[in-house]
Amino acid sequence: MPFDSPNKLPEFIPLFPLPNVVLLPRAILPLHIFEQRYRVMMADALLGDGLIAMALLKPGWEKIYHKQPAIAQAVCVGKIMQHELLSDGCYHLLLQGVARANVVSINDDLPYRRGELQVIAQTDAMEIDLADHRRRLKKLFEDGRFSASDLTTHLMRLFDSPVPTADLVDVLVFSLIVEVNVKQELLADGDIIRRVERATEWLSKAHPDIPKSAQKRPFGGMN
């Protein structure tokens, strides 16, 4: 089944849970798949619609990681943009976030879990309502709030692009905010204006130096 709209999800989507990774729509996450169950997941996704939902593991996952540790309800559906099958059967891939969703139910009849997902409804928000936040965020870069790097140069260009402010903010949060709980909270929030307001506040208080983990990648981290 081809995937043509983030509002029309397939019945079940593979779930890829990780402890410290939260993907956001539009952001791109490089991944390394090496566990056998997730190699199967990857092969199935490539034969299907190319979708994988990134899920955040809840605290306490360490003791039962190889079973089915609990995951957060809000997930980010991602689309495989590029992939490489390695000689050892592992995969390298780039996964781009396309939709916020909540897990309604989980199917565990395969080596990996699949989720019945429901898209998180987004409130309407006009660009004019977000213009002040966009200007404020741009000024943080112009004032040198974030250290200069290839990443910040790329992010700076987005301010003058047609990328909607809500999408721009998702990329900024994914790239610049370290705290996983903050990213998860923003992922779960369908209120665009509130989300942009909160993100603007967090980014304005963020440490002025971009984390080294962010400097190594354009939009994500190896896992």
Side-chain angles (χ1 to χ4, degrees):
M1 172 182 174
F3 175 72
D4 56 7
S5 171
N7 295 315
K8 297 179 181 179
L9 300 178
E11 182 179 7
F12 288 105
I13 295 178
L15 295 171
F16 187 30
L18 288 175
N20 297 305
V21 176
V22 175
L23 181 60
L24 290 168
R26 194 141 189 151
I28 297 175
L29 175 66
L31 290 166
H32 175 62
I33 305 293
F34 58 90
E35 284 189 53
Q36 180 57 35
R37 55 179 167 172
Y38 296 125
R39 294 188 198 181
V40 175
M41 174 196 74
M42 185 66 181
D44 289 348
L46 291 172
L47 288 174
D49 43 43
L51 298 180
I52 294 174
M54 297 300 300
L56 181 66
L57 289 169
K58 289 186 175 181
W61 59 270
E62 296 89 345
K63 296 180 180 179
I64 53 173
Y65 174 72
H66 292 288
K67 296 181 180 180
Q68 293 187 357
I71 60 173
Q73 182 183 24
V75 300
C76 184
V77 179
K79 174 73 174 180
I80 298 171
M81 306 302 293
Q82 297 179 26
H83 74 279
E84 178 186 5
L85 175 60
L86 306 177
S87 59
D88 61 0
C90 298
Y91 289 89
H92 284 161
L93 70 143
L94 293 178
L95 189 71
Q96 183 168 34
V98 295
R100 289 172 162 82
N102 282 322
V103 178
V104 177
S105 66
I106 294 178
N107 183 301
D108 58 2
D109 60 353
L110 294 175
Y112 57 91
R113 287 181 280 182
R114 296 180 298 158
E116 177 190 0
L117 307 182
Q118 183 176 54
V119 173
I120 296 176
Q122 304 292 295
T123 59
D124 292 329
M126 299 179 65
E127 278 300 303
I128 192 172
D129 297 323
L130 305 174
D132 285 344
H133 295 289
R134 193 180 185 109
R135 284 192 290 269
R136 182 179 173 188
L137 288 168
K138 183 178 181 181
K139 193 172 187 300
L140 293 177
F141 284 80
E142 293 174 338
D143 292 348
R145 174 68 179 176
F146 299 103
S147 58
S149 69
D150 290 342
L151 173 61
T152 51
T153 299
H154 180 84
L155 294 174
M156 187 66 181
R157 293 195 192 104
L158 295 179
F159 285 98
D160 297 320
S161 74
V163 173
T165 300
D167 290 346
L168 168 62
V169 166
D170 278 340
V171 172
L172 293 179
V173 168
F174 176 81
S175 303
L176 302 176
I177 289 183
V178 175
E179 292 83 1
V180 173
N181 63 314
V182 172
K183 294 181 180 180
Q184 184 64 29
E185 181 178 334
L186 291 176
L187 173 65
D189 195 344
D191 188 316
I192 292 177
I193 293 180
R194 181 175 61 208
R195 195 166 71 224
V196 170
E197 288 176 344
R198 289 180 175 179
T200 302
E201 288 302 314
W202 273 314
L203 286 165
S204 67
K205 297 174 183 177
H207 192 280
D209 291 326
I210 295 175
K212 291 181 179 180
S213 58
Q215 294 179 5
K216 295 178 182 177
R217 49 176 166 73
F219 293 112
M222 296 302 291
N223 297 278

